[in-house]
Amino acid sequence: MQDTSFAIHPGNKKKLENTPYHDIGDLKEFAKEHNLYRFTCEQGFVNILFYRDDIVRIVMNPFHKPTMKSSFAVVAEPEIVKVKIEDKEDSFSLSSSKLQVMIQKSPFRVNFYDQEGRLLVSESEKGMGFKESKEVICFKEMDPEDHFYGFGEKAGFLDKRGEKLTMWNTDVYAPHNQETDPLYQSHPYFMTLRNGKAHGIFFDNTFKTTFDMKKEKEYSFAAEGGQIDYYVMAGPSPKQVLEQYTWITGRMPLPAKWVIGYHQSRYSYESEQEVRELVNSFIKKEIPLDAVYLDIHYMNEYRVFTFDRDRFPNPEKMMKDLKSVGKRIVPIVDPGVKVDPEYSIYQEGIRQNHFSKYIEGDIFYGNVWPGKSAFPDFTKSETRKWWGEKHRFYTDLGIEGIWNDMNEPAVFNETKTMDVNVVHENDGDPKTHREMHNLYGLLMGEATYHGIKNLLHGKRPFLLTRAGYSGVQRYAAVWTGDNRSFWEHLALSIPMCMNLGLSGVALSGPDIGGFAHDTTGELLARWTQVGAFTPYFRNHSAIGTARQEPWSFGPEIEKIIKKYIQLRYQWLPHLYSLFAQTSKTGIPVMRPLFIEYPEDRHTFNLSDQFMIGENVIIAPIIKPDTYHRVVYLPEGTWVDYWTDQIYEGRKHILVEANLETLPIFIKAGTMISHGSIKQSTSVPEKNMTIHLYQTESGESHYTLYDDDGETFAYEKGEYLEKQIRYQANGNVIKLTIENSVTGYQPTWKHWTLKVHHATPDLKLIINGKEVDAKDINFNTESNIASITINL
């Protein structure tokens, strides 16, 4: 009966083995349209498009020909790629210079190989499938040596093998623990490390998606609707995967220097007087500070774009006075607009059709802080423009940074969010909130960032966001939400930030000290030590909890916290140079050790250490009443930052660390840069020091970057880039120093080179000329040789 209508009886659809999904079946037809390769299968359609030689996109739709329209996450346009096609009886292959896509025809299965013939991603018994409910799924084989990283903001250990992860932006106040999932961010992307090589997958589907990495022999990624739409990135190194992924979704802009200073927040500093007293305490105690945050109490009954003039009688003067002493204000702005016919923002939103609605035209209302509220439809470009322009209210006061919260969007109801039946206009391509939910925070971020940028006339804006999707790094820093003052949350924050960095979000950090619950002096001290080296450094605490300002636990704890906030400012030249690299490459400042040592299995799930750049290891204490810890040092020779003691790598060592000490190790044969302790980044840098940790032999390279720290002039070449190349041979050090870019004249006119582990017979050759011994200052107690060098 296969030649009758029985052949298409709905009960005859092929099933994916041991699943409730329908298999897309055998390949029936193939067609090439320009650079797009179209495959028609028995129960679905598949498109394949090379974006670069090392990146390929696969789109499957079971119901109609796939749309190649990308989500808002994707900024890359496909390049022209030369592809070799081979059509055999049972297989089909598409090959670029770096990737081969091998297709089995019956049933349709897709495998990916690199240029050396290594299998990267494979389907075998199971491939792509769907349900009549329009759920879609893709199965892949799992190798015993596979380790999985990324997935954005997820709790738990660094390696996500053995976990099931959901992407659905969710307001989670409590509980927060290792199994809390989902959280506020959705990044449907991961990197696989296998036998020292890496590749990546980005599943660009904005519905609620699930990654099941629990099984031993296979993993899957699925969505409640839409298409299977994923990119395979060939690597083969972890750094190359990061470059490829951030090429697709964009890279963070270079932050202003004040953004990477120390920030103080609380829910809430409730009055102008309290803010002024806070800032005066920082100044009096000589503790560096760059920004103070205003939570919801600064507003008039929680109306965004307002100030409560009883609590803050003169915000204009307050901003001006604080700016004069190098401090900035960052106010919170939520998406919920209070329903009030006398409130101009609500009036405009109604009259200009900016609020999210049901298909019948009724506005969706939900309760948040202001009570009954409407929510802008950020899928509309005209609404994003309107919302961005409204930030003139803040920029006219001198504000340069905004804090977006509650933008999942959070609503005080049983679902915690907007009704999924709301239909967003999406610039003429209507979509339900079920499909657009995960994009809401990203689109609000785009509106806010570009709105402020346009209003600041050349200054770099700052945006902090709680919710986001892949690509949010183009607009915002991310903090890890409403954590708690538990030691376990200090431990959780480290792999969370590392995996955010591996997901393109290089500017991230937790609430230092914990948001909810009551911190202790010891916990705050240890957490501040870690915070001094997380990319984003903000202390934040909740209403009704113990105060967390640096002086809150007495002089002893204050002294330790002050030391590490000051240390942050000393390290700013080094950190800023790394951020400049990140803005170009996507490789994060804070990174797991496996990024630099992908063949060392001791690094694969090392969750309580991290690296700053490629040569600094931070190994914090994350347990109470603990004054020692085991530290793993990978290949090479490592130097204790505090004592200059030398350790050989590829081993675990036991390190003593009293409450004042954060274990830090510098790789021998490399360099770091330091500035001076200052009360804020507004103080011009006068003293630049580059520390060189000498070795018997070897060579390395260091790039020091500097610019004005607050404008986009660097995009026009107005920056300084100093290249320092080092070669060691016994007591002879050769340095080649070149200012490769000189478009900016820094505030420091000369710099000091400090050579650690130097000997009295040191010979220093700079740019081919030996330095006169009398110009080298040698300290016999520390074995540090110093020389001053002009810019």
Side-chain angles (χ1 to χ4, degrees), residues 118 221 297 487 595 745 781:
R118 281 189 295 265
F221 44 93
H297 290 96
W487 288 89
I595 287 288
Q745 184 70 31
E781 292 184 5

Coordinates of all heavy atoms in Angstrom, one line a residue, residues 118 221 297 487 595 745 781:
R118 N 39.9 15.2 12.4 CA 39.3 14.8 13.7 C 37.8 15.0 13.8 O 37.3 16.1 13.4 CB 40.0 15.6 14.8 CG 41.4 15.1 15.2 CD 41.9 15.9 16.5 NE 42.1 17.3 16.2 CZ 43.2 17.9 15.9 NH1 44.3 17.1 15.8 NH2 43.3 19.1 15.6
F221 N 20.4 19.1 22.8 CA 19.8 20.5 23.0 C 18.5 20.5 22.3 O 18.3 20.1 21.2 CB 20.8 21.6 22.6 CG 21.4 21.4 21.3 CD1 20.9 22.0 20.1 CD2 22.7 20.8 21.2 CE1 21.5 21.8 18.9 CE2 23.3 20.6 19.9 CZ 22.7 21.2 18.8
H297 N 14.8 53.1 46.1 CA 14.3 54.1 47.0 C 14.6 55.5 46.5 O 14.0 56.5 47.1 CB 14.8 53.9 48.4 CG 14.2 52.7 49.0 ND1 14.9 51.5 49.0 CD2 13.0 52.5 49.7 CE1 14.1 50.6 49.7 NE2 13.0 51.2 50.1
W487 N 29.5 31.3 52.6 CA 30.8 30.9 52.1 C 30.5 30.1 50.8 O 31.3 30.2 49.8 CB 31.6 30.1 53.1 CG 32.1 30.9 54.2 CD1 31.5 31.2 55.4 CD2 33.3 31.6 54.2 NE1 32.3 32.1 56.1 CE2 33.4 32.3 55.5 CE3 34.4 31.7 53.3 CZ2 34.5 33.1 55.8 CZ3 35.5 32.5 53.7 CH2 35.6 33.2 54.9
I595 N 42.0 27.2 29.8 CA 42.2 28.1 28.6 C 43.7 28.2 28.2 O 44.0 28.1 27.0 CB 41.6 29.5 28.9 CG1 40.1 29.5 29.0 CG2 42.1 30.5 27.9 CD1 39.5 29.3 27.6
Q745 N 49.0 60.5 24.5 CA 50.1 60.9 25.4 C 49.6 60.6 26.8 O 48.8 61.4 27.3 CB 50.5 62.4 25.2 CG 51.7 62.8 26.1 CD 53.0 62.3 25.6 OE1 53.2 62.0 24.4 NE2 53.9 62.0 26.5
E781 N 68.5 43.2 49.5 CA 67.6 42.5 50.4 C 66.5 41.8 49.6 O 66.1 40.7 49.9 CB 67.0 43.4 51.5 CG 68.0 44.0 52.5 CD 67.3 44.8 53.5 OE1 66.0 44.9 53.5 OE2 68.0 45.4 54.4

